[in-house]
Amino acid sequence: MAFCLVVLPLMALLFPVERWFHYFSWYVILAGCWLYGVYFLNRLVTVPALFKRGAWRLIGIVLIVVSLAVTYCISDVKLYVFKPSHLDNGIVRIFPNVTHHQEAVWALFGLVETFSFAVALLVRSNEQSARRRQVEAERDRAEINLFKAQIKPHFMFNTLNSLYGLFLTGSDQALASLEKFISMIRYVHTSSSRNMVQLQEETDYVSMYVDLQCLRLNEQTEVELDIDIADPTMLVPPMLLVTFVENCFKHGISPVEYSKIRISLSEKEGILHFSTINRIFATGRPGERMGIENCRKRLALTFPDHHHLVINDDGVNFKVELQIELQHTEDYEMYSHR
């Protein structure tokens, strides 16, 4: 629009268009309409055709040739005959037989050709970039779903083991634990089809999981859970935080040695701070870090530039520090279609 309404008219005013319009209005209107037609023809047809294969590319080349031919015909119209005068003495004209209006037509045609091709190429480049981003987003979503699918059976197997132990020992808390477990199953089922869940749902799930695990612990293990959320409607990926919590109970407890598990989760002004620390006891289980590695990849795909994860394993204690810039509930639709 800037080119059509500002640039091209200003460039035309460099020539005596007013005088030509006074004497040859039909010619000025014809040339102007043709120049605007060339611009839109190149933008919408010629350049896209050149990037296609087969007959389309040939059509693009033919359109360029036709544009040159029509421009030549328009410029070849004899409005007046150039006659040298005594004022031209000492001035050497490069094209002595080319009149002023012909120079104007070809100069403006060259400007239109250059600008229309440049804009069309830029638009095509942006479209290709958008398609690449869409393909990458689809790939990322597929990878995230794969990681979620890998985490859920891994997680639920360990939870069932804990629940089985409670019923096996005849614990008074077995039925209450079963009710929590059913709520957890319901959460896993409802969250599996969503990219994001409210922070309150995820923290409730973490709390139920910690409660369920604590029921089977003896006095050798101390668990400290601290949750402080300012806005429970903030959004997080489902089944993300609980993976780190599960790791604490999986590797940080011993039936004979004292251990302490500290879990902290806070949110303020859209920034989530999550940390865990536990002692390390050898378990010898194969694939024991699969869940954490999957979470690391999920974070990299979901929050590529908006999270900071630090995992410190010194052989004695295992520490996790995670910070995420969260999204509000009203941004869910936009965020879920990244």
Side-chain angles (χ1 to χ4, degrees), residues 44-309:
L44 302 177
V45 181
T46 305
V47 175
L50 290 175
F51 281 94
K52 296 180 180 179
R53 298 179 179 178
W56 277 106
R57 185 169 296 175
L58 179 60
I59 291 174
I61 296 174
V62 170
L63 288 175
I64 295 176
V65 174
V66 170
S67 298
L68 291 170
V70 174
T71 304
Y72 174 79
C73 293
I74 292 176
S75 67
D76 197 46
V77 175
K78 303 297 183 181
L79 298 182
Y80 51 84
V81 178
F82 173 75
K83 295 180 179 180
S85 67
H86 67 281
L87 298 176
D88 294 329
N89 292 336
I91 299 177
V92 179
R93 292 176 58 87
I94 299 176
F95 301 104
N97 295 325
V98 176
T99 59
H100 207 184
H101 76 280
Q102 291 174 320
E103 294 176 348
V105 169
W106 282 108
L108 295 176
F109 175 78
L111 176 67
V112 169
E113 283 284 294
T114 302
F115 198 88
S116 60
F117 267 77
V119 172
L121 291 173
L122 180 61
V123 169
R124 180 172 178 82
S125 176
N126 290 337
E127 290 175 350
Q128 289 178 337
S129 298
R131 282 195 293 268
R132 282 197 300 269
R133 288 193 296 268
Q134 183 178 4
V135 170
E136 291 172 358
E138 292 294 337
R139 181 200 63 196
D140 291 348
R141 278 195 290 269
E143 291 185 24
I144 290 173
N145 290 333
L146 175 62
F147 296 143
K148 287 164 63 177
Q150 291 173 339
I151 288 172
K152 278 182 287 188
H154 176 71
F155 173 79
M156 298 310 299
F157 176 76
N158 292 320
T159 307
L160 282 171
N161 272 343
S162 300
L163 190 61
Y164 174 74
L166 292 174
F167 278 96
L168 193 63
T169 58
S171 172
D172 296 336
Q173 301 294 328
L175 291 178
S177 300
L178 178 60
E179 184 178 348
K180 290 182 180 180
F181 181 70
I182 293 173
S183 298
M184 294 167 67
I185 292 290
R186 185 181 299 113
Y187 173 76
V188 172
H189 175 71
T190 57
S191 66
S192 61
S193 59
R194 292 185 287 170
N195 293 327
M196 299 295 236
V197 296
Q198 291 191 0
L199 183 57
Q200 185 65 60
E201 297 178 80
E202 183 75 1
T203 55
D204 288 345
Y205 187 70
V206 169
S207 297
M208 287 188 293
Y209 178 80
V210 171
D211 291 342
L212 187 61
Q213 293 295 329
C214 286
L215 292 175
R216 66 182 182 87
L217 301 178
N218 57 28
E219 63 278 1
Q220 296 293 331
T221 304
E222 180 182 353
V223 179
E224 181 181 302
L225 175 63
D226 182 22
I227 298 178
D228 182 14
I229 301 173
D231 185 358
T233 65
M234 301 298 285
L235 298 174
V236 294
M239 301 291 294
L240 177 71
L241 303 179
V242 74
T243 305
F244 297 104
V245 176
E246 178 194 20
N247 184 75
C248 294
F249 289 95
K250 186 176 177 182
H251 306 286
I253 61 176
S254 171
V256 295
E257 295 185 49
Y258 174 79
S259 62
K260 183 174 183 178
I261 296 173
R262 290 199 298 268
I263 304 167
S264 175
L265 196 160
S266 65
E267 178 275 323
K268 185 177 182 182
E269 297 181 352
I271 305 298
L272 173 69
H273 296 275
F274 175 76
S275 65
T276 65
I277 180 172
N278 60 272
R279 285 190 60 186
I280 300 175
F281 298 97
T283 60
R285 299 176 188 175
E288 58 185 16
R289 294 292 162 82
M290 181 190 71
I292 288 182
E293 287 305 312
N294 283 348
C295 284
R296 191 194 297 273
K297 293 174 182 177
R298 287 179 67 192
L299 286 166
L301 292 169
T302 310
F303 305 101
D305 301 314
H306 302 284
H307 84 282
H308 182 63
L309 175 64

